[in-house]
Amino acid sequence: MKQITLNDGNQIPAVGFGVFMIPNDGSTYRAVREALQAGYRHIDTAAAYFNEAEVGRAVRGSGIPRSEIFVTSKLWIQDYGYEAAKQGLETSLNNLGFDYLDLYLLHQPYGDVSGAWKALEEAKKAGKVKSIGVDNMTPNFWNTFIPQFSILPAVNMVECNPFCQQKELRKLMDQHGVKLEAYYPLGHGNPELLGNPIITALAEKYQKNPGQIILRFELQEDLIVLPKSTNPERIAGNLDLFDFALAEDEMQRLRGLDTGKGAHDPEAPGTAEWLLENFKVHD
Ligand code: A2P
């Protein structure tokens, strides 16, 4: 598995298994066990995914040493502000049954981001989290918040795929050595992306499926990818990306697919209110 070195010196496996929207009825437990068996060593959850307990149970019961599995969780916006953030981290660690997290992120860029970040900086110094990062920070949010931080984020997790390549944001992040973690790396299953003729032609050429071509493109762009699948064959296939390489002219063609727009606009008015209304991690 390709590892990427973060700006704090820690390493992260370049392909992770995301569990957003996988229910906590045993499905998350089974999906994580499946992913670990397929070879994933990077699992991405969040307080607001409501399935941390199943992730923890699957990781702890896997027989694989905890130190060999990279686990990320995220602080929900209800718990922003310095004191609430400290409590939010403790709750996540309890839910997971872990004494540390490999990566802990601020899940959304709204509210008392700076207070919450201060708690994350302290948690990193105390060894409760090895790396800290942010999520959904567009260039505007980046320029608002990052100058207030003492420790730079190791990652920024944003939507990123060939139709939404985040070129402006990546330039900004590159200046600070901050890595991009791509959510919706397959365009959230967008058939126009998966059926794009440039991508299907490459799939034919390399005897891979379109999803694998897209993920390989993203890896060659030095992104960390979190493909989502509940299909065991695709879960395994989305890790099978290391026996071929796209040529530079093919990379250029794929870079040309950028539309500059994604499915989620973190700056859309009312987003914070909508999220708070629809995702409550506690009363
Ligand atoms: P499924 O769960 O049936 O595999 P994203 O990671 O961008 O959010 O995209 C997830 C969507 O893409 C899901 O609908 C998933 O469906 C589908 N998917 C996952 N892997 C592949 C693949 N290799 N090729 C095509 N579709 C895929």
Side-chain angles (χ1 to χ4, degrees):
M1 161 64 64
K2 178 184 177 192
Q3 303 276 333
I4 290 187
T5 303
L6 302 173
N7 60 8
D8 60 8
N10 293 328
Q11 290 209 315
I12 183 170
V15 186
F17 183 71
V19 296
F20 178 47
M21 289 173 76
I22 307 185
N24 56 12
D25 57 359
S27 315
T28 301
Y29 174 78
R30 285 192 295 276
V32 173
R33 286 299 290 258
E34 182 97 45
L36 292 172
Q37 266 157 27
Y40 288 81
R41 291 294 179 269
H42 171 181
I43 311 292
D44 183 272
T45 184
Y49 296 174
F50 307 102
N51 53 21
E52 286 172 313
E54 290 196 21
V55 168
R57 197 156 60 82
V59 168
R60 285 182 284 110
S62 66
I64 302 165
R66 169 71 186 86
S67 60
E68 289 177 19
I69 306 176
F70 189 104
V71 182
T72 301
S73 192
K74 314 186 190 81
L75 180 75
W76 190 233
I77 29 179
Q78 261 181 293
D79 291 333
Y80 279 18
Y82 176 66
E83 290 299 334
K86 287 200 286 191
Q87 188 52 51
L89 171 59
E90 290 308 321
T91 304
S92 280
L93 287 170
N94 279 337
N95 286 341
L96 286 153
F98 292 166
D99 52 14
Y100 72 93
L101 274 164
D102 296 278
L103 178 61
Y104 195 47
L105 306 180
L106 295 187
H107 202 154
Q108 298 286 345
Y110 316 111
D112 186 1
V113 168
S114 300
W117 186 256
K118 188 163 168 258
L120 265 58
E121 290 178 342
E122 284 184 13
K124 178 172 164 63
K125 286 180 190 148
K128 288 185 182 181
V129 301
K130 295 197 169 171
S131 295
I132 53 178
V134 295
D135 232 287
N136 285 301
M137 287 229 179
T138 60
N140 280 337
F141 284 125
W142 185 272
N143 289 324
T144 304
F145 292 120
I146 303 305
Q148 302 173 27
F149 294 177
S150 306
I151 299 179
L152 270 176
V155 302
N156 181 16
M157 182 183 293
V158 292
E159 179 174 0
C160 193
N161 58 61
F163 281 176
C164 172
Q165 296 188 28
Q166 302 283 7
K167 288 180 180 165
E168 183 192 351
L169 179 67
R170 280 160 67 192
K171 267 191 212 139
L172 212 51
M173 289 167 54
D174 280 350
Q175 289 167 19
H176 303 285
V178 179
K179 297 294 180 191
L180 190 151
E181 280 195 274
Y183 73 75
Y184 295 174
L186 301 167
H188 209 34
N190 179 355
E192 278 181 42
L193 178 65
L194 289 157
N196 178 277
I198 294 176
I199 292 170
T200 53
L202 290 169
E204 180 81 25
K205 172 176 172 186
Y206 288 105
Q207 291 295 293
K208 292 282 173 184
N209 67 44
Q212 291 169 315
I213 297 296
I214 294 169
L215 294 170
R216 179 73 208 186
F217 165 70
E218 293 163 351
L219 288 180
Q220 287 184 220
E221 288 284 83
D222 207 28
L223 307 175
I224 299 153
V225 296
L226 299 164
K228 160 89 186 307
S229 179
T230 46
N231 172 303
E233 222 169 275
R234 282 193 287 274
I235 289 176
N238 289 345
L239 205 55
D240 180 18
L241 308 169
F242 300 98
D243 58 353
F244 75 110
L246 298 167
E248 184 49 32
D249 63 311
E250 295 166 342
M251 291 295 289
Q252 274 305 349
R253 247 177 285 151
L254 292 167
R255 286 183 193 115
L257 295 178
D258 189 24
T259 67
K261 272 210 190 95
H264 176 65
D265 175 8
E267 293 182 26
T271 302
E273 294 75 11
W274 185 90
L275 289 168
L276 278 168
E277 186 72 14
N278 287 280
F279 293 84
K280 287 189 181 13
V281 296
H282 53 70
D283 291 334

